[in-house]
Every structure is written in structure tokens, then in C-alpha cells.
Amino acid sequence: MIKKTLAIVALFGLVLSSAALADGERVAFPADYRTKMENYLSLDRTQNDDQIIRLFASKEALAAAKAGEQLPNGTVLVAEVYKAKKDKDGNVIESALGRRIRGKFAAVGVMQKGAGWGKTLPEEFRNGDWDFAIFSPKGERLVKKDLNKCRACHAPLTKTQHIFSLEHMTN
């Protein structure tokens, strides 16, 4: 009886861990984002003082934002993350405009919205129904990145649909 109970508990644990893995991989790399989406904002990244970020959204997402509507399920937002160029001492180089200069293409962050996705996450990591993934510039999933940092950072942004740049999507 104990062996049977342990086997059931182990099987249940395997099912739960498989579901968690599936949730963590439900956001796919949008290989055609540069041709199918619009670059609506490029700036020095505020959360990291040695990065530059370029943000992309579909025309449909931008239209919903302009109309003051919720971005629909299925919306994908992309962030290209670049390292800032540094001098020989490791200090970030700024242009004459006081802006960081884009260096190495480091990663692609993806936010995707799916019906009911928020219910699968603990409350402190819920972003409505958004979830996240991080990929290399070649589209390979960076599995060692802690996506809960992304989730926790975006979670408080309830007034802007959990998006830092929503106001920029409305122009």
C-alpha cells in the first residue's frame, strides 16, 4: 500500500512538473518579428544601466493601444536587448546626446498574452494573462534565465496592462 501511494505521489509530481515546464515554454520565439512587427520605441533601458532596448509590437496591438482597449489574447511584444558599448575601463560610452551607444545584440525578450495564463502563476507573479520568455538573438530559448524576475517587475503595472511602454504604443 505504501509503495502504491508513493508511486501515485511520484506520478502526480511528474504531471505537475511537466505542466510547469509547459507553462514556461508556452511563449514561442517569433522568428518573423522584424518584418511583421513595428519598432515603436528604442531607448536606454531604465532597469539596467548598461543596456539599450528596442521594442516591437504588431499593428493590431498598436491599434488596440491607440483605441484605449485591452491588448487582445495572442498579442506578442518583443524587446531586443543590446549591451551598451564600453570603454577600456568598463565604463558605458555615451554619445554627444547623452545616450548609450548600442553594442552587442544580447537577447530577445518576449511577452505574450494568452487566455487564462495568469491563473497558472502564483499571485505575486501574475501579469493579467501575460507570460515571458527570453531567447538568444538566434532564437534559442535561454532556459537559465529566471522569468519570475520579469513577472515580478511587470506585475505592479496594472494601470498599463502590465506593460512599461503602453503610453508609447499610442502615438
Side-chain angles (χ1 to χ4, degrees):
M1 180 67 171
I2 292 176
K3 285 183 181 180
K4 187 175 182 180
T5 302
L6 288 175
I8 291 171
V9 169
L11 180 61
F12 184 68
L14 181 62
V15 169
L16 285 179
S17 65
S18 296
L21 180 63
D23 283 354
E25 294 185 1
R26 63 185 164 196
V27 176
F29 182 73
D32 59 355
Y33 74 90
R34 283 189 173 168
T35 58
K36 302 277 182 173
M37 300 175 123
E38 291 187 31
N39 172 217
Y40 69 91
L41 184 64
S42 299
L43 69 152
D44 295 347
R45 192 165 182 208
T46 57
Q47 298 93 339
N48 299 84
D49 61 4
D50 68 344
Q51 294 180 348
I52 294 105
I53 193 166
R54 295 182 69 217
L55 302 173
F56 296 80
S58 67
K59 290 177 181 154
E60 296 79 15
L62 294 170
K66 286 177 187 175
E69 299 170 356
Q70 290 288 313
L71 276 61
N73 287 328
T75 296
V76 175
L77 303 177
V78 175
E80 289 183 343
V81 179
Y82 293 83
K83 291 289 187 183
K85 285 190 177 182
K86 295 183 179 181
D87 64 20
K88 62 181 168 93
D89 297 321
N91 299 310
V92 172
I93 300 171
E94 291 186 352
S95 71
L97 297 171
R99 301 283 308 269
R100 298 174 202 147
I101 299 171
R102 192 168 64 191
K104 181 183 175 193
F105 187 9
V108 178
V110 180
M111 281 180 75
Q112 186 172 347
K113 188 175 182 182
W117 284 7
K119 295 175 186 172
T120 67
L121 298 170
E123 179 123 9
E124 66 271 20
F125 299 129
R126 284 189 193 146
N127 291 276
D129 282 328
W130 292 99
D131 206 356
F132 301 82
I134 301 175
F135 301 90
S136 75
K138 293 180 181 180
E140 300 154 341
R141 188 177 301 276
L142 299 176
V143 293
K144 294 188 182 202
K145 295 291 184 179
D146 182 3
L147 298 176
N148 284 337
K149 288 181 181 179
C150 301
R151 294 172 181 131
C153 192
H154 285 259
L157 304 174
T158 57
K159 292 181 181 176
T160 58
Q161 300 186 50
H162 302 283
I163 302 167
F164 281 98
S165 61
L166 185 66
E167 297 90 349
H168 294 275
M169 296 173 80
T170 62
N171 294 330

